[in-house]
Amino acid sequence: MTENISNSSTQQLLALRVMRLARPKFAPLDGFSHDPVDPTGFGELLAGKVAEISKESRHDLPIGEYLIAPQMFENIYLGETFTFYVNVVNESESNVVNVSLKCELQTSTQRVVLPCSVQDVTIESTKCDGQVISHEVKEIGQHILICSVNYKTLSGENMYFRKFFKFPVSKPIDVKTKFYSAEDNANQDVYLEAQIENTSNSNMFLERVELDPSQHYKVTSISHEDEFPEVGKLLKPKDIRQFLFCLSPVDVNNTLGYKDLTSIGKLDMSWRTSMGEKGRLQTSALQRIAPGYGDVRLSVEKTPACVDVQKPFVVACRLYNCSERALDLQLRLEQPSNRQLVICSPSGVSLGQLPPSQYVDFALNVFPVAVGIQSISGIRITDTFTKRHYEHDDIAQIFVS
């Protein structure tokens, strides 16, 4: 859309031209009318095509035999750099002075003033002045490039006009995340699975997919880039790649403040298209739902994976106070009906008063009486002040041989 505005009925002396700058594309190959498997005729046809290219220039391939200049306004995607050339041309027979060009980019949320060096210049007749401007696109949706020109004629009349250029910005990739908590891990690790889908209409080559963790976590990337360095990074349209990250709390003993640990971090991604154009996106802060442990949380800190039958072993446990008040806790043990694992520790033991966000350690002496994979159950915690009971079953599994 173009809008010309002037404070005078005088015809405009200047013209404004805006051209988007883009890299060339690969030229599509013409098909053959013969089956390549058929030995008769295909060789002659191929030789004829090569001779035809050699004899005459390809007017439809203006910059070479294999590359073509963009024939239309290509799609612009979020995270890419929008580059264009704006040119002010004096089409009159007289000079104009005090020429100033202002370029703005209007989105649905803001108007950004783009840097422009064409300010208070004189443009002689049939001459021009322009500039290449680049801007990283950070929003999706409709964008409007607004170019305004102010100048003065030799007679002293102030002139003004502007033009509008509309173009849409699409989302190049779609990111879906899933969180997995390792409840049986004493370090309280959290695993993040990120699924990245190419929603554009061209191939992209992932250069970097990293997780920038929050201050509460340290991150480890779990990938197979060493085994498949190239295949795993190429994303064709509609292709999906999965990435896995392990997040460990910086302070394991402070993992009770789950309200502070719901913020995981940001996913940072960069890529290049088939012709090397660079794009970069960063997600907003990823949030996970804090586990609902209630007032207390029991974790197994140390236990053997395999034990011999009729040989006692020790299970180290840790009990956290996840509430906002002090708890007066008592440990009670219930023997399972099948009695495949007998807990020999005394029941009804007081664990004392436990302040908020603190923990207490205790040990269980267990005697296995049957072979196989056995579960440790029957842990009962009682808050003697509120008379609330907390049951913990299947807190760990042991292989008894």
Side-chain angles (χ1 to χ4, degrees), residues 20 22-28 58-63 67-74:
R20 183 193 175 189
R23 298 187 181 184
K25 305 298 179 183
F26 285 109
R58 296 284 298 276
H59 60 84
D60 57 332
L61 304 180
I63 54 177
L67 299 176
I68 59 174
Q71 303 298 313
M72 55 182 296
F73 194 87
E74 301 288 343

Side-chain angles (χ1 to χ4, degrees), residues 7 12-14 90 92 94-100 120-123 149-161:
N7 57 352
Q12 296 291 339
L13 305 181
L14 301 180
N90 186 356
S92 68
S94 61
N95 299 342
V96 293
V97 296
N98 298 340
V99 180
S100 295
D120 293 327
V121 298
T122 299
I123 302 180
V149 179
N150 289 276
Y151 64 97
K152 182 181 293 186
T153 64
L154 294 181
S155 61
E157 183 180 6
N158 292 321
M159 304 291 291
Y160 168 78
F161 71 93

Side-chain angles (χ1 to χ4, degrees), residues 70 183 213 279 290 339 365 372 374 391 395:
E183 298 298 340
R339 297 183 67 86
N365 297 313
Q374 311 297 345
E391 299 182 355
I395 63 173

Side-chain angles (χ1 to χ4, degrees), residues 291-349:
Y293 291 111
D295 291 340
V296 297
R297 176 171 65 87
L298 178 65
S299 68
V300 177
E301 298 298 306
K302 185 178 181 182
T303 181
C306 180
V307 297
D308 295 331
V309 67
Q310 297 184 357
K311 286 188 177 181
F313 62 93
V314 178
V315 177
C317 299
R318 178 169 291 179
L319 188 66
Y320 294 90
N321 181 359
C322 300
S323 68
E324 297 179 355
R325 58 182 178 84
L327 300 177
D328 190 5
L329 303 176
Q330 184 184 65
L331 172 63
R332 187 168 54 89
L333 303 175
E334 290 185 357
Q335 299 296 342
S337 58
N338 53 18
R339 297 183 67 86
Q340 295 175 340
L341 291 178
V342 179
I343 302 178
C344 304
S345 299
S347 180
V349 177

Side-chain angles (χ1 to χ4, degrees), residues 227-294:
E227 300 179 15
F228 309 100
E230 302 298 332
V231 177
K233 295 182 178 180
L234 175 62
L235 234 65
K236 297 181 180 180
K238 304 302 180 182
D239 276 1
I240 298 177
R241 290 291 181 272
Q242 294 172 303
F243 298 86
L244 186 62
F245 303 92
C246 177
L247 296 110
S248 303
V250 176
D251 186 0
V252 178
N253 296 328
N254 193 32
T255 55
L256 298 177
Y258 283 108
K259 293 182 180 179
D260 297 331
L261 296 183
T262 55
S263 179
I264 297 296
K266 298 180 180 180
L267 202 61
D268 198 352
M269 300 154 290
S270 62
W271 67 90
R272 291 187 183 273
T273 62
S274 57
M275 295 307 296
E277 297 99 333
K278 190 175 181 61
R280 180 180 179 271
L281 278 182
Q282 187 179 69
T283 64
S284 56
L286 301 176
Q287 303 286 332
R288 75 179 182 109
I289 300 176
Y293 291 111

Side-chain angles (χ1 to χ4, degrees), residues 146-211:
I146 307 172
C147 300
S148 307
V149 179
N150 289 276
Y151 64 97
K152 182 181 293 186
T153 64
L154 294 181
S155 61
E157 183 180 6
N158 292 321
M159 304 291 291
Y160 168 78
F161 71 93
R162 63 179 179 176
K163 286 188 176 183
F164 299 82
F165 304 91
K166 290 185 177 181
F167 60 91
V169 174
S170 305
K171 184 171 62 172
I173 58 178
D174 184 47
V175 181
K176 297 180 180 179
T177 57
K178 295 181 182 179
F179 291 100
Y180 306 92
S181 297
E183 298 298 340
D184 58 344
N185 193 326
N187 294 328
Q188 296 301 311
D189 292 342
V190 177
Y191 292 89
L192 169 64
E193 176 191 347
Q195 296 182 355
I196 300 179
E197 179 183 0
N198 181 3
T199 57
S200 69
N201 57 5
S202 60
N203 296 342
M204 65 172 55
F205 188 83
L206 293 177
E207 283 193 329
R208 183 168 60 97
V209 178
E210 295 181 356
L211 180 63

